[in-house]
Amino acid sequence: MKDPIGGLLLSVPSQGSSGSKITPALLTMLAVLASVAPFGIDMYLSAFPRMAVDLHTSASTVELTLTTFLLGLAAGQLVFGPLSDRYGRRGPLLAGSAVFVTASVLAALAPTITVLVTVRLLQGASASAGMVIGRAVIADLETGRSAARAFSLMMIVSGVAPVVAPLLGSVLAGAIGWRGVLLVVAALAVAMLAGSAAIVRESLPPERRGTAQRGGFRLLGRRAYGSATGTLVFSFAVLMAYISASPFLYQTVIGVGAVPYGLLFALNALGLVASSAASSRLLHRVEPRRIVAIGVAWLLIASLALLALALTPLGPVWLTVPLFFAVASLGFILGPAMALALDAVPDAAGTGSAVVGAAQFGLAALITPVISVAGPHTAVPMAIAIGALAVLAAVSYALFPPSAPTVQNFPAADETPHSRTPSTSAPEGALAAPKEH
């Protein structure tokens, strides 16, 4: 069947077929839920100066509203993930989405900066429900290549969101002000709640619930899970380091205006979208682990080239080239690595998804202040951070257990995925294979 994104083909069972059921509508809804962070983070950034004036505070205090949102995203996933393992996916998802709507309205109406900072923490925590549970739903319904393709296709929407959000926010901020922008985020939250209620059905049957409380947490110690998670988290931190540094890099260091900056930012995002689409197609015939290997090697080469250029007297405009390739490489890493991580813990997909997400945004919250440590007139801190993160991603990937299953253990592109049953006898580091019927 045709998926709604760029005419790509998504090989998933249609509604009513046996086995898993990830329809294009469901996958699109899960991708929208995963995109809540870019909209919650990027839409109001251009309004920071106006917010400082209106709320009678400093620019650094206004930036705390971003920090607390990221911390909420990290902490909230550690709550909603295990809850969804214990009580099912749909209930916690709808509850978190409802709180997200309420917190978004309160943020738009916040009378003081203190109230806004506090509410943004709650907003981030509740927004995390859609992100962490959406990943768990895919892990419930798909394994191996099918799951990796689904995560890669989600990355297409997630790659577009960071482009649309700041551009839309900058346009709206001038017309309706920062409170209006935050009300738009609240409207998106309402749409996400309605879409979740209408489209996302329960994917975790009662007999599979509560496994994390019965020992599923120890599955997170599996070497395959740790390696895939480390690769994913460090690679995602590269993206966050780039996003946080991009305004200063392009406009101050390179010296382009606001419009060229937006175009360059969009170009890099399109590179990420294109590589995610290519990754999804390759997954029809190549196992996820090999796709990740290509992406990690690509990221490492581009990041070290970026660092070398940042330390040389060549014009800063040349930094745009390796930066483009570094961002584009993530399309080969993020989706397949997520599939590898959650395939390693099928009995605790919600908890496994929570730890991945919390680590992603927790590290992002630590990385973003480091980028500006030397001021806005140099790209060296960003290049060092990205280079170091790429090396850590490569080391994490190298730790992936050699005993992990090869392509034969993953469902082929034309096979119907089978339901998974809890397994306590799988070897250390192994990915759970589907149960044959």
Side-chain angles (χ1 to χ4, degrees):
M1 64 181 69
K2 291 274 188 178
D3 81 275
I5 305 170
L8 294 172
L9 291 175
L10 176 59
S11 300
V12 295
S14 57
Q15 195 74 12
S17 63
S18 62
S20 303
K21 301 179 182 70
I22 296 187
T23 64
L26 174 59
L27 183 61
T28 301
M29 189 66 239
L30 297 179
V32 170
L33 292 174
S35 301
V36 67
F39 283 103
I41 293 169
D42 297 332
M43 273 195 69
Y44 80 128
L45 292 181
S46 61
F48 271 19
R50 184 71 252 176
M51 292 172 65
V53 173
D54 290 350
L55 296 173
H56 309 290
T57 188
S58 64
S60 60
T61 305
V62 171
E63 289 176 358
L64 285 177
T65 63
L66 178 58
T67 301
T68 53
F69 186 86
L70 288 171
L71 291 174
L73 279 175
Q77 293 186 69
L78 294 175
V79 175
F80 284 106
L83 280 178
S84 74
D85 278 339
R86 184 169 186 175
Y87 299 109
R89 311 299 185 204
R90 184 172 164 84
L93 171 61
L94 295 180
S97 298
V99 175
F100 180 46
V101 171
T102 304
S104 298
V105 173
L106 292 176
L109 302 177
T112 67
I113 188 62
T114 301
V115 172
L116 182 58
V117 168
T118 303
V119 170
R120 286 282 287 175
L121 180 67
L122 177 63
Q123 190 182 26
S126 55
S128 71
M131 301 176 66
V132 66
I133 295 174
R135 294 192 297 263
V137 167
I138 291 179
D140 290 338
L141 303 178
E142 299 288 355
T143 59
R145 288 178 178 173
S146 296
R149 285 198 304 276
F151 284 122
S152 293
L153 288 169
M154 283 179 65
M155 278 303 303
I156 296 176
V157 176
S158 299
V160 171
V163 179
V164 174
L167 294 178
L168 180 62
S170 61
V171 171
L172 292 176
I176 58 178
W178 64 271
R179 292 188 187 275
V181 170
L182 292 181
L183 282 175
V184 170
V185 174
L188 292 173
V190 172
M192 291 175 184
L193 173 59
S196 297
I199 297 173
V200 182
R201 301 304 178 195
E202 182 57 63
S203 62
L204 187 66
E207 62 270 16
R208 288 182 55 200
R209 297 177 190 175
T211 53
Q213 283 68 35
R214 297 195 299 269
F217 270 108
R218 69 174 179 270
L219 294 177
L220 303 189
R222 286 185 170 181
R223 186 173 165 187
Y225 176 79
S227 173
T229 297
T231 303
L232 172 62
V233 168
F234 291 125
S235 299
F236 181 79
V238 168
L239 181 63
M240 294 304 296
Y242 153 70
I243 290 175
S244 64
S246 62
F248 300 108
L249 172 67
Y250 288 122
Q251 296 185 79
T252 304
V253 177
I254 298 177
V256 302
V259 173
Y261 161 61
L263 293 175
L264 287 168
F265 194 90
L267 177 64
N268 288 345
L270 289 175
L272 176 58
V273 168
S275 63
S276 297
S279 169
S280 177
R281 289 187 180 277
L282 283 174
L283 283 162
H284 283 278
R285 57 184 183 274
V286 182
E287 62 177 301
R289 182 176 174 182
R290 292 188 178 182
I291 298 292
V292 175
I294 295 171
V296 169
W298 181 355
L299 172 62
L300 189 61
I301 293 170
S303 299
L304 294 180
L306 176 68
L307 178 58
L309 284 174
L311 295 174
T312 63
L314 290 176
V317 68
W318 292 103
L319 296 173
T320 60
V321 178
L323 194 57
F324 170 83
F325 286 104
V327 173
S329 71
L330 301 178
F332 278 69
I333 301 174
L334 302 182
M338 180 67 75
L340 289 173
L342 297 188
D343 267 354
V345 288
D347 301 334
T351 303
S353 174
V355 172
V356 170
Q360 280 181 296
F361 288 98
L363 182 58
L366 295 175
I367 284 294
T368 49
V370 174
I371 304 302
S372 58
V373 68
H377 300 286
T378 175
V380 172
M382 178 202 71
I384 292 175
I386 289 178
L389 290 167
V391 170
L392 289 172
V395 170
S396 296
Y397 175 78
L399 295 175
F400 202 86
S403 59
T406 58
V407 67
Q408 292 96 318
N409 299 94
F410 291 100
D414 57 351
E415 290 178 350
T416 300
H418 302 288
S419 60
R420 286 179 286 185
T421 56
S423 171
T424 57
S425 59
E428 170 68 19
L431 302 184
K435 179 182 177 182
E436 294 295 330
H437 295 294

